[in-house]
Amino acid sequence: MEASVGAINRYPVKSMLGERLEQAVVGAGGLLGDRGYAVVDVADGKVGSAKNPGKWRGLLAFRAEYLADPEPDQPPPPALISLPNGGQIRTDAPDIDAVLSKLLDRPVRLDVSVPTPTAPLVLDEVWPDIDGLAPEEFVESTRVGSTEVGEAISAIPMAMFAPPGSF
């Protein structure tokens, strides 16, 4: 069996559009630098995720790309975020939280602290009614609510599935 790679994409900020790469470092934890940042809702402390499109659909209107190559065992380097209004801002800008909060219409912060099993961040995931999508026991054991059409919403600790060093 023959395999080939058609494209390599890395997403510096979880659930924002990312960058296409010509080459990448891949390790046990996945693509180096992938999801090194995340937007966190200040009100409930949950990580912004397109897996809950009712709340976080707006994240897909942003695009992020690193300004330098990520290094193993180091915090992610600054990234440049292209905004839906045509502007740009760096992840290390002093007003990044205010800019993102205004554009996402909710108080948020950009987080670079990586979740760990002892201090996990949580994201909400919506489960469309598709047979076999996930084990029913898992969905029910993590369920925190339902969408307006009855789809389950789960609260999932990030460290449960994210490799160390990423969201």
Side-chain angles (χ1 to χ4, degrees), residues 49-98:
S49 173
K51 292 177 180 173
N52 185 353
K55 182 177 180 181
W56 293 106
R57 179 175 289 113
L59 284 174
L60 295 173
F62 296 77
R63 178 179 300 279
E65 60 185 89
Y66 283 118
L67 296 171
D69 289 330
E71 297 289 333
D73 303 318
Q74 296 296 316
L80 184 67
I81 298 176
S82 297
L83 308 172
N85 64 10
Q88 294 182 317
I89 190 168
R90 290 172 53 120
T91 54
D92 57 355
D95 60 341
I96 185 71
D97 294 344

Tab-separated table of all heavy atoms in Angstrom, residues 49-98:
chain	number	residue	atom	x	y	z
A	49	SER	N	-14.013	26.207	21.278
A	49	SER	CA	-13.849	25.081	20.365
A	49	SER	C	-14.957	25.085	19.322
A	49	SER	O	-16.133	25.209	19.664
A	49	SER	CB	-13.895	23.761	21.149
A	49	SER	OG	-13.904	22.668	20.256
A	50	ALA	N	-14.575	24.902	18.076
A	50	ALA	CA	-15.568	24.795	17.003
A	50	ALA	C	-16.413	23.547	17.169
A	50	ALA	O	-17.396	23.368	16.455
A	50	ALA	CB	-14.874	24.804	15.646
A	51	LYS	N	-16.069	22.684	18.134
A	51	LYS	CA	-16.895	21.510	18.420
A	51	LYS	C	-18.186	21.912	19.127
A	51	LYS	O	-19.056	21.081	19.335
A	51	LYS	CB	-16.111	20.499	19.243
A	51	LYS	CG	-14.979	19.890	18.439
A	51	LYS	CD	-14.141	18.949	19.259
A	51	LYS	CE	-13.035	18.399	18.373
A	51	LYS	NZ	-12.076	17.611	19.121
A	52	ASN	N	-18.292	23.181	19.503
A	52	ASN	CA	-19.542	23.756	20.020
A	52	ASN	C	-19.860	24.967	19.144
A	52	ASN	O	-19.655	26.110	19.540
A	52	ASN	CB	-19.415	24.155	21.485
A	52	ASN	CG	-20.719	24.633	22.082
A	52	ASN	OD1	-21.721	24.790	21.383
A	52	ASN	ND2	-20.722	24.878	23.376
A	53	PRO	N	-20.341	24.738	17.919
A	53	PRO	CA	-20.515	25.822	16.963
A	53	PRO	C	-21.549	26.865	17.375
A	53	PRO	O	-21.453	28.022	16.960
A	53	PRO	CB	-20.928	25.116	15.667
A	53	PRO	CG	-21.451	23.790	16.099
A	53	PRO	CD	-20.723	23.436	17.360
A	54	GLY	N	-22.523	26.493	18.188
A	54	GLY	CA	-23.500	27.483	18.631
A	54	GLY	C	-22.853	28.609	19.408
A	54	GLY	O	-23.273	29.759	19.327
A	55	LYS	N	-21.825	28.291	20.157
A	55	LYS	CA	-21.132	29.277	20.984
A	55	LYS	C	-19.896	29.846	20.307
A	55	LYS	O	-19.573	31.019	20.476
A	55	LYS	CB	-20.741	28.627	22.312
A	55	LYS	CG	-20.060	29.550	23.292
A	55	LYS	CD	-19.785	28.846	24.607
A	55	LYS	CE	-19.110	29.748	25.602
A	55	LYS	NZ	-18.815	29.065	26.866
A	56	TRP	N	-19.174	29.029	19.533
A	56	TRP	CA	-17.842	29.418	19.058
A	56	TRP	C	-17.683	29.477	17.542
A	56	TRP	O	-16.569	29.478	17.038
A	56	TRP	CB	-16.808	28.453	19.640
A	56	TRP	CG	-16.675	28.586	21.122
A	56	TRP	CD1	-17.136	27.714	22.060
A	56	TRP	CD2	-16.055	29.653	21.837
A	56	TRP	NE1	-16.826	28.171	23.317
A	56	TRP	CE2	-16.164	29.356	23.209
A	56	TRP	CE3	-15.422	30.828	21.460
A	56	TRP	CZ2	-15.660	30.191	24.203
A	56	TRP	CZ3	-14.911	31.654	22.445
A	56	TRP	CH2	-15.039	31.342	23.788
A	57	ARG	N	-18.758	29.527	16.799
A	57	ARG	CA	-18.677	29.584	15.333
A	57	ARG	C	-17.743	30.715	14.858
A	57	ARG	O	-17.029	30.581	13.877
A	57	ARG	CB	-20.078	29.784	14.759
A	57	ARG	CG	-20.137	29.889	13.255
A	57	ARG	CD	-21.571	29.961	12.757
A	57	ARG	NE	-22.205	28.653	12.921
A	57	ARG	CZ	-23.210	28.396	13.760
A	57	ARG	NH1	-23.707	29.345	14.496
A	57	ARG	NH2	-23.728	27.198	13.838
A	58	GLY	N	-17.741	31.831	15.585
A	58	GLY	CA	-16.945	32.991	15.189
A	58	GLY	C	-15.449	32.736	15.110
A	58	GLY	O	-14.733	33.434	14.384
A	59	LEU	N	-14.945	31.746	15.832
A	59	LEU	CA	-13.507	31.465	15.788
A	59	LEU	C	-13.033	31.099	14.396
A	59	LEU	O	-11.886	31.366	14.027
A	59	LEU	CB	-13.157	30.328	16.758
A	59	LEU	CG	-13.123	30.691	18.237
A	59	LEU	CD1	-12.919	29.436	19.081
A	59	LEU	CD2	-12.041	31.706	18.521
A	60	LEU	N	-13.905	30.506	13.597
A	60	LEU	CA	-13.507	30.079	12.258
A	60	LEU	C	-13.322	31.248	11.288
A	60	LEU	O	-12.882	31.055	10.154
A	60	LEU	CB	-14.522	29.079	11.705
A	60	LEU	CG	-14.586	27.755	12.467
A	60	LEU	CD1	-15.736	26.893	11.951
A	60	LEU	CD2	-13.268	27.008	12.385
A	61	ALA	N	-13.625	32.469	11.738
A	61	ALA	CA	-13.410	33.653	10.902
A	61	ALA	C	-12.015	34.251	11.126
A	61	ALA	O	-11.645	35.220	10.475
A	61	ALA	CB	-14.485	34.703	11.198
A	62	PHE	N	-11.245	33.677	12.042
A	62	PHE	CA	-9.889	34.137	12.338
A	62	PHE	C	-8.894	33.158	11.719
A	62	PHE	O	-9.199	31.994	11.518
A	62	PHE	CB	-9.653	34.151	13.855
A	62	PHE	CG	-10.506	35.114	14.623
A	62	PHE	CD1	-11.840	34.831	14.900
A	62	PHE	CD2	-9.974	36.307	15.091
A	62	PHE	CE1	-12.625	35.709	15.627
A	62	PHE	CE2	-10.752	37.190	15.833
A	62	PHE	CZ	-12.082	36.892	16.092
A	63	ARG	N	-7.682	33.649	11.447
A	63	ARG	CA	-6.600	32.780	10.955
A	63	ARG	C	-5.338	33.132	11.728
A	63	ARG	O	-5.059	34.304	11.965
A	63	ARG	CB	-6.360	32.994	9.468
A	63	ARG	CG	-5.205	32.161	8.911
A	63	ARG	CD	-4.985	32.371	7.417
A	63	ARG	NE	-6.150	32.020	6.636
A	63	ARG	CZ	-6.510	30.783	6.266
A	63	ARG	NH1	-5.787	29.764	6.653
A	63	ARG	NH2	-7.570	30.578	5.532
A	64	ALA	N	-4.574	32.115	12.124
A	64	ALA	CA	-3.343	32.350	12.875
A	64	ALA	C	-2.159	31.667	12.195
A	64	ALA	O	-2.306	30.593	11.621
A	64	ALA	CB	-3.485	31.830	14.298
A	65	GLU	N	-0.998	32.319	12.274
A	65	GLU	CA	0.238	31.724	11.771
A	65	GLU	C	1.394	32.163	12.658
A	65	GLU	O	1.444	33.299	13.117
A	65	GLU	CB	0.501	32.100	10.318
A	65	GLU	CG	0.640	33.590	10.070
A	65	GLU	CD	0.791	33.927	8.598
A	65	GLU	OE1	-0.234	34.115	7.944
A	65	GLU	OE2	1.944	33.993	8.142
A	66	TYR	N	2.289	31.226	12.934
A	66	TYR	CA	3.441	31.535	13.783
A	66	TYR	C	4.382	32.498	13.077
A	66	TYR	O	4.560	32.444	11.863
A	66	TYR	CB	4.200	30.256	14.154
A	66	TYR	CG	3.519	29.459	15.240
A	66	TYR	CD1	3.062	28.179	14.990
A	66	TYR	CD2	3.334	29.995	16.507
A	66	TYR	CE1	2.444	27.435	15.985
A	66	TYR	CE2	2.716	29.260	17.509
A	66	TYR	CZ	2.267	27.989	17.243
A	66	TYR	OH	1.655	27.261	18.220
A	67	LEU	N	5.014	33.351	13.887
A	67	LEU	CA	5.999	34.302	13.367
A	67	LEU	C	7.402	33.700	13.364
A	67	LEU	O	8.309	34.251	12.747
A	67	LEU	CB	5.967	35.586	14.189
A	67	LEU	CG	4.640	36.351	14.086
A	67	LEU	CD1	4.588	37.487	15.086
A	67	LEU	CD2	4.454	36.871	12.660
A	68	ALA	N	7.588	32.596	14.073
A	68	ALA	CA	8.851	31.852	14.097
A	68	ALA	C	8.493	30.373	14.261
A	68	ALA	O	7.379	30.042	14.665
A	68	ALA	CB	9.723	32.328	15.256
A	69	ASP	N	9.431	29.516	13.960
A	69	ASP	CA	9.179	28.083	14.108
A	69	ASP	C	9.116	27.701	15.584
A	69	ASP	O	9.977	28.120	16.365
A	69	ASP	CB	10.281	27.263	13.423
A	69	ASP	CG	10.205	27.342	11.912
A	69	ASP	OD1	9.082	27.498	11.379
A	69	ASP	OD2	11.265	27.235	11.260
A	70	PRO	N	8.127	26.919	15.977
A	70	PRO	CA	8.085	26.414	17.356
A	70	PRO	C	9.302	25.528	17.641
A	70	PRO	O	9.829	24.871	16.740
A	70	PRO	CB	6.799	25.586	17.400
A	70	PRO	CG	5.973	26.090	16.268
A	70	PRO	CD	6.958	26.501	15.209
A	71	GLU	N	9.734	25.544	18.891
A	71	GLU	CA	10.877	24.727	19.326
A	71	GLU	C	10.390	23.659	20.302
A	71	GLU	O	9.521	23.941	21.138
A	71	GLU	CB	11.926	25.608	20.016
A	71	GLU	CG	12.541	26.665	19.129
A	71	GLU	CD	13.467	26.095	18.076
A	71	GLU	OE1	14.037	25.010	18.301
A	71	GLU	OE2	13.614	26.732	17.022
A	72	PRO	N	10.947	22.459	20.229
A	72	PRO	CA	10.548	21.414	21.175
A	72	PRO	C	10.771	21.852	22.625
A	72	PRO	O	11.752	22.535	22.928
A	72	PRO	CB	11.464	20.231	20.829
A	72	PRO	CG	11.929	20.500	19.435
A	72	PRO	CD	11.973	21.989	19.286
A	73	ASP	N	9.840	21.485	23.504
A	73	ASP	CA	9.940	21.750	24.939
A	73	ASP	C	10.026	23.227	25.296
A	73	ASP	O	10.563	23.590	26.337
A	73	ASP	CB	11.125	20.990	25.551
A	73	ASP	CG	11.021	19.500	25.314
A	73	ASP	OD1	9.912	18.948	25.449
A	73	ASP	OD2	12.054	18.885	24.973
A	74	GLN	N	9.512	24.085	24.422
A	74	GLN	CA	9.484	25.531	24.668
A	74	GLN	C	8.053	26.029	24.515
A	74	GLN	O	7.258	25.424	23.793
A	74	GLN	CB	10.384	26.273	23.670
A	74	GLN	CG	11.840	25.930	23.777
A	74	GLN	CD	12.423	26.341	25.115
A	74	GLN	OE1	12.176	27.434	25.612
A	74	GLN	NE2	13.173	25.437	25.732
A	75	PRO	N	7.713	27.148	25.170
A	75	PRO	CA	6.384	27.730	24.926
A	75	PRO	C	6.257	28.101	23.445
A	75	PRO	O	7.266	28.329	22.767
A	75	PRO	CB	6.377	28.995	25.784
A	75	PRO	CG	7.497	28.831	26.754
A	75	PRO	CD	8.506	27.917	26.101
A	76	PRO	N	5.042	28.158	22.942
A	76	PRO	CA	4.897	28.508	21.521
A	76	PRO	C	5.376	29.936	21.259
A	76	PRO	O	5.220	30.813	22.117
A	76	PRO	CB	3.397	28.383	21.271
A	76	PRO	CG	2.763	28.477	22.616
A	76	PRO	CD	3.757	27.952	23.590
A	77	PRO	N	5.985	30.167	20.097
A	77	PRO	CA	6.391	31.525	19.754
A	77	PRO	C	5.149	32.368	19.461
A	77	PRO	O	4.047	31.839	19.300
A	77	PRO	CB	7.240	31.328	18.493
A	77	PRO	CG	6.699	30.092	17.875
A	77	PRO	CD	6.264	29.217	19.024
A	78	PRO	N	5.307	33.697	19.394
A	78	PRO	CA	4.156	34.534	19.035
A	78	PRO	C	3.598	34.144	17.663
A	78	PRO	O	4.317	33.670	16.787
A	78	PRO	CB	4.740	35.950	18.991
A	78	PRO	CG	5.979	35.877	19.822
A	78	PRO	CD	6.509	34.481	19.646
A	79	ALA	N	2.305	34.336	17.524
A	79	ALA	CA	1.627	34.107	16.252
A	79	ALA	C	0.932	35.392	15.831
A	79	ALA	O	0.602	36.241	16.668
A	79	ALA	CB	0.615	32.967	16.376
A	80	LEU	N	0.711	35.534	14.546
A	80	LEU	CA	-0.039	36.661	13.998
A	80	LEU	C	-1.445	36.171	13.690
A	80	LEU	O	-1.616	35.171	12.982
A	80	LEU	CB	0.629	37.175	12.724
A	80	LEU	CG	-0.004	38.412	12.098
A	80	LEU	CD1	0.169	39.628	13.014
A	80	LEU	CD2	0.636	38.687	10.734
A	81	ILE	N	-2.438	36.863	14.243
A	81	ILE	CA	-3.833	36.496	14.010
A	81	ILE	C	-4.442	37.490	13.035
A	81	ILE	O	-4.419	38.703	13.276
A	81	ILE	CB	-4.634	36.487	15.328
A	81	ILE	CG1	-4.059	35.445	16.282
A	81	ILE	CG2	-6.116	36.222	15.054
A	81	ILE	CD1	-4.720	35.434	17.662
A	82	SER	N	-4.960	36.978	11.924
A	82	SER	CA	-5.714	37.792	10.978
A	82	SER	C	-7.163	37.806	11.453
A	82	SER	O	-7.771	36.755	11.683
A	82	SER	CB	-5.623	37.212	9.564
A	82	SER	OG	-4.276	37.232	9.135
A	83	LEU	N	-7.710	39.000	11.603
A	83	LEU	CA	-9.033	39.193	12.184
A	83	LEU	C	-10.108	39.246	11.100
A	83	LEU	O	-9.826	39.615	9.952
A	83	LEU	CB	-9.045	40.490	12.995
A	83	LEU	CG	-7.922	40.623	14.035
A	83	LEU	CD1	-7.914	42.026	14.634
A	83	LEU	CD2	-8.065	39.567	15.110
A	84	PRO	N	-11.349	38.927	11.449
A	84	PRO	CA	-12.424	38.954	10.448
A	84	PRO	C	-12.697	40.347	9.887
A	84	PRO	O	-13.236	40.473	8.796
A	84	PRO	CB	-13.647	38.408	11.195
A	84	PRO	CG	-13.270	38.279	12.607
A	84	PRO	CD	-11.793	38.415	12.737
A	85	ASN	N	-12.286	41.396	10.609
A	85	ASN	CA	-12.500	42.761	10.122
A	85	ASN	C	-11.371	43.244	9.223
A	85	ASN	O	-11.326	44.413	8.830
A	85	ASN	CB	-12.702	43.719	11.296
A	85	ASN	CG	-11.476	43.837	12.189
A	85	ASN	OD1	-10.386	43.356	11.861
A	85	ASN	ND2	-11.645	44.480	13.335
A	86	GLY	N	-10.420	42.352	8.891
A	86	GLY	CA	-9.310	42.704	8.006
A	86	GLY	C	-8.050	43.115	8.747
A	86	GLY	O	-6.989	43.216	8.138
A	87	GLY	N	-8.120	43.353	10.035
A	87	GLY	CA	-6.947	43.731	10.812
A	87	GLY	C	-6.119	42.521	11.199
A	87	GLY	O	-6.462	41.369	10.888
A	88	GLN	N	-5.022	42.796	11.881
A	88	GLN	CA	-4.155	41.744	12.390
A	88	GLN	C	-3.679	42.125	13.787
A	88	GLN	O	-3.580	43.308	14.115
A	88	GLN	CB	-2.935	41.541	11.490
A	88	GLN	CG	-3.276	41.016	10.116
A	88	GLN	CD	-2.037	40.788	9.275
A	88	GLN	OE1	-1.126	41.594	9.251
A	88	GLN	NE2	-2.007	39.649	8.587
A	89	ILE	N	-3.385	41.109	14.604
A	89	ILE	CA	-2.847	41.341	15.929
A	89	ILE	C	-1.954	40.166	16.293
A	89	ILE	O	-2.223	39.025	15.906
A	89	ILE	CB	-3.974	41.554	16.973
A	89	ILE	CG1	-3.383	42.039	18.300
A	89	ILE	CG2	-4.821	40.297	17.132
A	89	ILE	CD1	-4.434	42.559	19.282
A	90	ARG	N	-0.906	40.461	17.045
A	90	ARG	CA	-0.006	39.412	17.522
A	90	ARG	C	-0.547	38.813	18.819
A	90	ARG	O	-1.193	39.504	19.606
A	90	ARG	CB	1.390	39.989	17.773
A	90	ARG	CG	2.129	40.367	16.509
A	90	ARG	CD	3.416	41.098	16.837
A	90	ARG	NE	4.261	40.354	17.769
A	90	ARG	CZ	5.502	39.951	17.505
A	90	ARG	NH1	6.042	40.211	16.329
A	90	ARG	NH2	6.205	39.294	18.407
A	91	THR	N	-0.239	37.555	19.038
A	91	THR	CA	-0.692	36.899	20.269
A	91	THR	C	-0.046	37.502	21.508
A	91	THR	O	-0.591	37.374	22.603
A	91	THR	CB	-0.392	35.386	20.233
A	91	THR	OG1	1.001	35.197	19.965
A	91	THR	CG2	-1.235	34.687	19.179
A	92	ASP	N	1.085	38.171	21.364
A	92	ASP	CA	1.745	38.786	22.512
A	92	ASP	C	1.421	40.277	22.660
A	92	ASP	O	2.029	40.976	23.472
A	92	ASP	CB	3.259	38.551	22.469
A	92	ASP	CG	3.921	39.068	21.194
A	92	ASP	OD1	3.210	39.546	20.269
A	92	ASP	OD2	5.164	38.974	21.099
A	93	ALA	N	0.441	40.781	21.900
A	93	ALA	CA	0.029	42.184	22.024
A	93	ALA	C	-0.641	42.399	23.383
A	93	ALA	O	-1.414	41.546	23.839
A	93	ALA	CB	-0.927	42.554	20.896
A	94	PRO	N	-0.372	43.527	24.034
A	94	PRO	CA	-0.958	43.751	25.356
A	94	PRO	C	-2.491	43.808	25.358
A	94	PRO	O	-3.112	43.499	26.364
A	94	PRO	CB	-0.358	45.077	25.817
A	94	PRO	CG	0.375	45.647	24.670
A	94	PRO	CD	0.531	44.591	23.617
A	95	ASP	N	-3.095	44.157	24.231
A	95	ASP	CA	-4.558	44.271	24.171
A	95	ASP	C	-5.226	43.095	23.464
A	95	ASP	O	-6.395	43.178	23.077
A	95	ASP	CB	-4.961	45.582	23.494
A	95	ASP	CG	-4.452	45.706	22.058
A	95	ASP	OD1	-3.501	44.979	21.679
A	95	ASP	OD2	-5.000	46.533	21.317
A	96	ILE	N	-4.517	41.972	23.327
A	96	ILE	CA	-5.067	40.825	22.595
A	96	ILE	C	-6.402	40.369	23.170
A	96	ILE	O	-7.344	40.087	22.432
A	96	ILE	CB	-4.050	39.644	22.524
A	96	ILE	CG1	-4.581	38.496	21.656
A	96	ILE	CG2	-3.686	39.131	23.897
A	96	ILE	CD1	-4.628	38.762	20.198
A	97	ASP	N	-6.518	40.281	24.495
A	97	ASP	CA	-7.767	39.803	25.101
A	97	ASP	C	-8.925	40.747	24.794
A	97	ASP	O	-10.027	40.293	24.457
A	97	ASP	CB	-7.605	39.630	26.611
A	97	ASP	CG	-6.616	38.528	26.971
A	97	ASP	OD1	-6.287	37.698	26.099
A	97	ASP	OD2	-6.168	38.511	28.137
A	98	ALA	N	-8.692	42.051	24.873
A	98	ALA	CA	-9.750	43.025	24.595
A	98	ALA	C	-10.190	42.958	23.136
A	98	ALA	O	-11.390	43.013	22.833
A	98	ALA	CB	-9.273	44.437	24.945
